[in-house]
Amino acid sequence: MPILKVNKLTKAFGGLMAVSNVNLELNQGELVGLIGPNGAGKTTVFNLLTGIYVPTSGTITLFQDNNQTQLQCLKPYTICKAGVARTFQNIRLFKDLTVLDNVRIAMHKNLDYGLFASLFHTKAYSEEENQLIEKSLELLKILKLHHKKDELARNLPYGEQRHLEIVRALAANPSLLLLDEPAAGMNPAETANLTEMIGWIRKNFNLTILLIEHDMSLVMKICERIYVLDYGMVIAEGTPSEIKANKRVIEAYLGEEVNHA
Amino acid sequence: MQKLLGSNFLKKAIFLAATFGLVQLLIVTGVINPFIMDTLTTICINIILAVSLNLITGFTGQFSLGHAGFMSIGAYTCTIITLRVPTTLGFITGLLAGAILAALVGAVVGLPTLRLRGDYLAIATLGMAEIIRIIFLNLDITNGAAGLFNNNQYVNWFWLFLFTAGTVVLISNFIKSSHGRACISIREDEIAAEAVGINSTKYKVTAFVMGAFFAGIAGSMHSSYFYFIKPDLFGFLKSINILVIVVFGGLGSISGSIIAAILLALISTSLQSIPELQMVIYAAMLITIMLFRPQGLMGSKELSLSLFKKWSSLIHRKNGGEA
């Protein structure tokens, strides 16, 4: 059963085709990798999926509980409300706010109390605020960040900042999670730890995950399917072992074999 | 009983009631003379203006140079209504009407301009305030450049205190709510805020409209206390003066805005005896303080009991070391 269908997605910046005619299909519960050399258009695809860029043409359809939503003309916050959350390649936390606030803000979209309650701190306010804190701490515990809840996000070490971004994305309660290079800048031990965690999150939160990653140890280990992007086009699609053996992929990464005749 | 006393709400209520009672007592006994009362009124009005601008600029991160425009809408509306209904009820009606009108203008102006960022927004809000000023300069009902004169002074310490404390309590409550955090997240990173489901336009406009509403209240009180208003009072310089208080106190600190409003009013009042050097000294002090504390007096922190404890323990340690 598909959860996301991307059909002939194209984005042109002036004369440059950053993404052209990309077709993707993610099934419910899958963990799919999106790889490709630098500048292949991976992050552009993410920005199109989350509404930061408006596609030049093509459609993005999200399927959920028997209804389908067209995402290509929606604003970022409505796409998030529809159930797509993401992390960023260059970490975009709310740096001067506490760890707890970072998570609480992502839960705001499901808030029930209104402006009046927030101005006068009514009973509804205090009840829901307590719930928010409780839920945030539960999420933070999963990534062992709960004891740092009052620290400013900017003061966390790099790895924990990446973890916090994942927690924040989870707090938005998505059904589809997009991870943009979650292992960037991590050492092998941290990457192995992260790999395990991503698998665990997928199972326990019942998520579908699409991830961009350069670290092949992570991609080959946990992704069930992989799309390979080069010059804005999908050049290959398949299981990790198929991708490893694919000639076009090797050419894209290493260049063509020269024939010494 | 212990629990009741410990609750934050009661502490705040006692503190506010005590402040009100103390000043009221000083007014009744004549310690606060009309001259000091003028300064006190300026302080209260500046607190409302600074705290409401801090909501827009300090917390939501939208640089606005048009706060005096909203203030003038409140001032004119309130004066026009009290001139026709010269009672306290007329004043309160005028004040609320002024605040609501300012908020409406805030919404009409905010919806298109809040798409702009940084300096562009500053220029747009500056233009808006100028347009408002020119309109008041040319209307018949506002009596053009000559301005309006209000015969009755309805603002007394009670109303001053009620609206100043009300503004501070409501805005700090808002900041501490999830809606307030949504505003702050826009200041921190608008793209990330949108990506976690915050409708940034909605919250920018909300903050802008709330700020305009309270600026309208401040304008109404100004017009009623100081009798006289004219378009020149609400020019570009007034907007800058409000911004100076906010930046001086610290962007994103409500207690900072309050302290700055008090300090700056006291400084400029005490310099009134040397009029030829007044602005020079005032400006030099601003430059000095900005050099040594560029983040403002309070930064983005709030004055709280725990901060006092920290200070007192520091002082204690110092004294202990000397002994």
Side-chain angles (χ1 to χ4, degrees):
Chain A
M1 204 182 105
I3 181 167
L4 184 81
K5 235 181 197 165
V6 174
N7 192 24
K8 291 191 174 162
L9 191 66
T10 300
K11 176 72 186 174
F13 293 109
L16 176 82
M17 298 296 271
V19 171
S20 66
N21 282 320
V22 165
N23 296 314
L24 302 173
E25 197 174 319
L26 302 188
N27 292 318
Q28 180 73 47
E30 255 189 322
L31 207 167
V32 177
L34 183 62
I35 64 171
N38 285 326
K42 306 177 297 285
T43 299
T44 309
V45 169
F46 267 31
N47 286 343
L48 289 167
L49 292 180
T50 52
I52 291 176
Y53 295 150
V54 179
T56 311
S57 65
T59 59
I60 306 163
T61 319
L62 186 72
F63 299 86
Q64 251 179 344
D65 318 319
N66 301 325
N67 54 29
Q68 54 187 65
T69 328
Q70 296 295 323
L71 300 184
Q72 69 272 11
C73 45
L74 298 182
K75 293 233 162 137
Y77 69 89
T78 26
I79 291 176
C80 177
K81 281 180 185 166
V84 182
R86 71 173 289 181
T87 64
F88 293 87
Q89 183 180 1
N90 46 342
I91 305 174
R92 278 181 176 272
L93 287 170
F94 305 125
K95 286 208 169 84
D96 285 319
L97 301 184
T98 63
V99 169
L100 180 67
D101 280 348
N102 268 276
V103 181
R104 275 198 283 183
I105 286 166
M107 292 178 170
H108 177 76
K109 68 191 178 83
N110 295 323
L111 193 79
D112 277 330
Y113 73 77
L115 205 59
F116 180 82
S118 77
L119 286 174
F120 294 96
H121 283 196
T122 58
K123 206 175 152 207
Y125 161 86
S126 38
E127 278 173 5
E128 226 182 320
E129 282 291 312
N130 287 337
Q131 273 177 20
L132 274 183
I133 295 177
E134 222 169 275
K135 273 194 223 160
S136 311
L137 287 180
E138 250 170 58
L139 279 177
L140 284 169
K141 255 180 206 157
I142 294 169
L143 295 195
K144 301 184 187 71
L145 284 167
H146 57 289
H147 58 280
K148 294 199 169 175
K149 70 181 171 71
D150 293 323
E151 240 174 274
L152 293 186
R154 68 158 67 251
N155 294 338
L156 293 183
Y158 181 81
E160 287 183 349
Q161 289 193 9
R162 285 226 172 263
H163 285 177
L164 179 57
E165 230 196 358
I166 294 176
V167 179
R168 187 178 69 179
L170 289 176
N173 195 19
S175 46
L176 172 64
L177 179 63
L178 309 177
L179 301 173
D180 198 344
E181 295 199 27
M186 289 189 175
N187 66 32
E190 285 172 331
T191 306
N193 190 357
L194 182 80
T195 311
E196 210 171 283
M197 200 185 77
I198 292 173
W200 190 90
I201 287 172
R202 171 174 64 145
K203 225 179 273 162
N204 284 272
F205 284 84
N206 202 9
L207 284 173
T208 310
I209 297 179
L210 176 64
L211 70 89
I212 294 177
E213 189 47 71
H214 281 297
D215 191 317
M216 289 304 145
S217 71
L218 188 148
V219 175
M220 294 299 167
K221 196 170 164 197
I222 56 171
C223 292
E224 283 140 8
R225 276 191 310 128
I226 294 172
Y227 285 94
V228 187
L229 220 57
D230 193 24
Y231 292 112
M233 285 177 283
V234 174
I235 57 164
E237 179 212 333
T239 61
S241 48
E242 284 168 3
I243 293 297
K244 265 186 222 172
N246 189 307
K247 210 175 159 204
R248 284 196 67 189
V249 176
I250 297 169
E251 276 175 11
Y253 270 93
L254 302 175
E256 275 175 60
E257 208 170 325
V258 179
N259 221 340
H260 295 282
Chain B
M1 190 68 195
Q2 187 69 36
K3 200 180 163 195
L4 256 180
L5 274 176
S7 78
N8 243 336
F9 176 76
L10 205 69
K11 263 189 221 164
K12 267 184 211 161
I14 290 173
F15 174 74
L16 289 176
T19 316
F20 173 74
L22 185 70
V23 176
Q24 184 68 39
L25 189 75
L26 292 176
I27 292 171
V28 171
T29 53
V31 177
I32 293 185
N33 57 31
F35 177 70
I36 300 180
M37 192 61 205
D38 281 1
T39 310
L40 193 64
T41 308
T42 308
I43 289 175
C44 283
I45 290 170
N46 281 347
I47 287 175
I48 299 179
L49 288 170
V51 170
S52 58
L53 182 62
N54 209 338
L55 174 65
I56 299 172
T57 302
F59 289 101
T60 317
Q62 305 306 308
F63 197 54
S64 168
L65 281 180
H67 222 51
F70 297 130
M71 187 188 173
S72 69
I73 293 175
Y76 272 99
T77 313
C78 185
T79 308
I80 289 167
I81 290 179
T82 35
L83 280 175
R84 280 154 188 74
V85 192
T87 57
T88 303
L89 187 70
F91 161 65
I92 295 298
T93 317
L95 181 135
L96 289 178
I100 290 168
L101 202 62
L104 278 177
V105 173
V108 171
V109 172
L111 276 169
T113 55
L114 286 168
R115 290 162 205 280
L116 304 171
R117 285 176 196 188
D119 3 358
Y120 306 107
L121 179 66
I123 300 294
T125 50
L126 174 65
M128 171 215 67
E130 280 302 291
I131 290 171
I132 293 173
R133 191 176 67 85
I134 300 296
I135 289 176
F136 285 143
L137 200 60
N138 287 293
L139 281 181
D140 280 335
I141 196 169
T142 57
N143 202 20
L148 285 176
F149 193 81
N150 197 351
N151 290 315
N152 299 302
Q153 188 185 56
Y154 296 104
V155 172
N156 51 26
W157 171 239
F158 172 74
W159 294 116
L160 265 182
F161 185 80
L162 183 75
F163 285 110
T164 310
T167 304
V168 172
V169 169
L170 288 184
I171 290 185
S172 56
N173 274 357
F174 176 76
I175 289 305
K176 281 183 207 137
S177 75
S178 192
H179 299 280
R181 285 195 296 270
C183 287
I184 298 173
S185 74
I186 295 169
R187 172 192 77 192
E188 290 290 304
D189 190 326
E190 196 171 334
I191 289 178
E194 288 247 333
V196 294
I198 307 280
N199 180 349
S200 67
T201 310
K202 178 182 158 190
Y203 283 100
K204 280 196 237 172
V205 173
T206 305
F208 205 63
V209 167
M210 276 178 68
F213 181 87
F214 289 111
I217 290 183
S220 303
M221 296 214 293
H222 178 95
S223 72
S224 179
Y225 185 87
F226 293 105
Y227 299 108
F228 176 62
I229 50 169
K230 56 176 183 171
D232 284 3
L233 287 176
F234 308 104
F236 174 56
L237 253 163
K238 182 68 192 172
S239 293
I240 294 289
N241 277 334
I242 305 167
L243 190 67
V244 164
I245 301 175
V246 174
V247 174
F248 187 80
L251 287 164
S253 168
I254 288 176
S255 38
S257 287
I258 297 172
I259 294 170
I262 296 173
L263 265 182
L264 290 181
L266 291 181
I267 292 172
S268 65
T269 312
S270 61
L271 288 176
Q272 263 169 13
S273 48
I274 33 170
E276 60 277 9
L277 283 177
Q278 187 189 356
M279 282 323 282
V280 177
I281 298 176
Y282 184 77
M285 283 172 97
L286 281 182
I287 293 171
T288 321
I289 292 174
M290 280 296 114
L291 274 176
F292 289 102
R293 262 193 95 71
Q295 72 275 46
L297 288 177
M298 298 295 295
S300 59
K301 290 194 176 58
E302 294 293 349
L303 205 60
S304 65
L305 221 57
S306 56
L307 204 64
F308 272 121
K309 277 179 194 154
K310 218 162 116 190
W311 285 346
S312 70
S313 75
L314 271 177
I315 293 166
H316 196 72
R317 212 179 300 156
K318 221 178 191 176
N319 288 346
E322 279 164 10

